[in-house]
Amino acid sequence: MNILHMKKVYKSLRYGWLLAVFAIISFSSAQAQVATEGAEFWFAFSPHTGATSLRVMVVSDSAANVEITMPANAAFTTINQAVPAGRATYIDIPVANITTGSAAGNTENMGFRLTSDRNINLTLLNAQTGGTPSSLDGTIVFPHNSTQDWTQSIVGNFSDYIVNTSDQGSSIVVVATTDATDVILTPSGGTATTVTLTRGQTHTITGTNSLDGYRVQACKPIMVFAGGQSATEGCTATNLMINQMTPFETWGTRFFTVPGAGGA
């Protein structure tokens, strides 16, 4: 092998290693990213005493048509809504469709499925405007594709969640996307219990104090929403706070944040 040929081989190997390293870094970063745009979403509204308004906000960069159903509740009237491009569209949900809960947990038919013929972004809004003070919060909803073969696409801990909630009036809501979903619920330092949910059913646990550290695991894809009705976060007033949890597999070590008021 002459010198020129050796240089070419070395150059090819060097570029190969660079590409391999780049691919590993990209793959590692992608694992920790959760898309917010999609064409299918599953969700439920968390407990909120005196709630007066349940809505979803849909945003799309192209005109879309969405459909909202409750797969486990045949009495629910399907909602169909056209969504114009580049503008937020608000869709009202009957207030009766809000989960309840108990320390032992309540299983109900309160899960929603929203589908669209175009990719959209979805936000839940849960408001109580009649009291003093009023309270409102919302959460971005992450998409879920039911057409995937979950037995092949779910890797590791896809349905493994470690939950954080508010300090008081806490709640955890689990939404099943598939029939015969066994959900294992383990309080921090406590004993695990198992509930079996059908497609569109919810299981809601509420607590007077924080439910931080609760672990929620399932044999099939689930959505988990958590928060509480008495979040203070350093303020004297209380307010509703809800968020969709992300599975343990998506957790990472690097984050981009935007400072709040006063640099908080």
Side-chain angles (χ1 to χ4, degrees):
M1 184 181 293
N2 58 40
I3 299 297
L4 181 61
H5 184 65
M6 289 177 66
K7 285 183 177 180
K8 287 181 178 180
V9 171
Y10 173 75
K11 188 175 182 180
S12 297
L13 287 173
R14 184 178 61 180
Y15 283 128
W17 276 109
L18 286 174
L19 287 171
V21 170
F22 179 76
I24 291 170
I25 293 173
S26 299
F27 178 73
S28 299
S29 300
Q31 279 191 307
Q33 294 174 352
V34 181
T36 60
E37 187 179 73
E40 180 184 3
F41 300 81
W42 291 77
F43 60 90
F45 290 94
S46 300
H48 190 190
T49 302
T52 55
S53 174
L54 304 179
R55 313 178 89 185
V56 296
M57 181 179 75
V58 181
V59 178
S60 177
D61 58 7
S62 60
N65 296 286
V66 302
E67 179 181 85
I68 301 175
T69 60
M70 296 186 78
N73 183 1
F76 180 76
T77 302
T78 298
I79 298 173
N80 292 284
Q81 178 72 50
V83 176
R87 210 172 71 192
T89 297
Y90 295 89
I91 304 172
D92 289 309
I93 306 293
V95 174
N97 295 296
I98 193 166
T99 63
T100 62
S102 67
N106 288 3
T107 296
E108 301 166 295
N109 301 326
M110 294 293 187
F112 290 87
R113 179 176 182 249
L114 183 149
T115 55
S116 173
D117 60 356
R118 296 287 187 277
N119 281 346
I120 63 165
N121 286 282
L122 181 67
T123 303
L124 299 191
L125 299 171
N126 188 335
Q128 186 269 100
T129 57
T132 304
S134 59
S135 62
L136 164 70
D137 198 28
T139 179
I140 292 172
V141 183
F142 301 114
H144 170 69
N145 184 359
S146 291
T147 63
Q148 296 181 112
D149 180 355
W150 61 267
T151 62
Q152 300 297 323
S153 62
I154 296 176
V155 179
N157 299 321
F158 185 90
S159 289
D160 189 352
Y161 298 79
I162 298 175
V163 175
N164 64 286
T165 67
S166 61
D167 293 336
Q168 301 175 36
S170 302
S171 65
I172 300 170
V173 183
V174 181
V175 184
T177 65
T178 307
D179 287 335
T181 298
D182 293 326
V183 182
I184 304 171
L185 303 155
T186 310
S188 179
T191 303
T193 59
T194 301
V195 296
T196 301
L197 304 178
T198 61
R199 184 172 182 263
Q201 280 195 316
T202 57
H203 188 79
T204 304
I205 298 171
T206 53
T208 303
N209 300 312
S210 172
L211 297 172
D212 275 355
Y214 230 102
R215 192 160 192 172
V216 181
Q217 299 166 287
C219 62
K220 297 175 183 177
I222 56 172
M223 306 294 120
V224 179
F225 298 83
Q229 301 189 59
S230 304
T232 56
E233 298 302 319
C235 302
T236 55
T238 61
N239 194 19
L240 175 72
M241 181 177 288
I242 51 173
N243 282 290
Q244 182 172 358
M245 299 289 100
T246 55
F248 185 73
E249 185 184 68
T250 65
W251 290 15
T253 57
R254 295 184 300 165
F255 302 88
F256 293 96
T257 63
V258 178

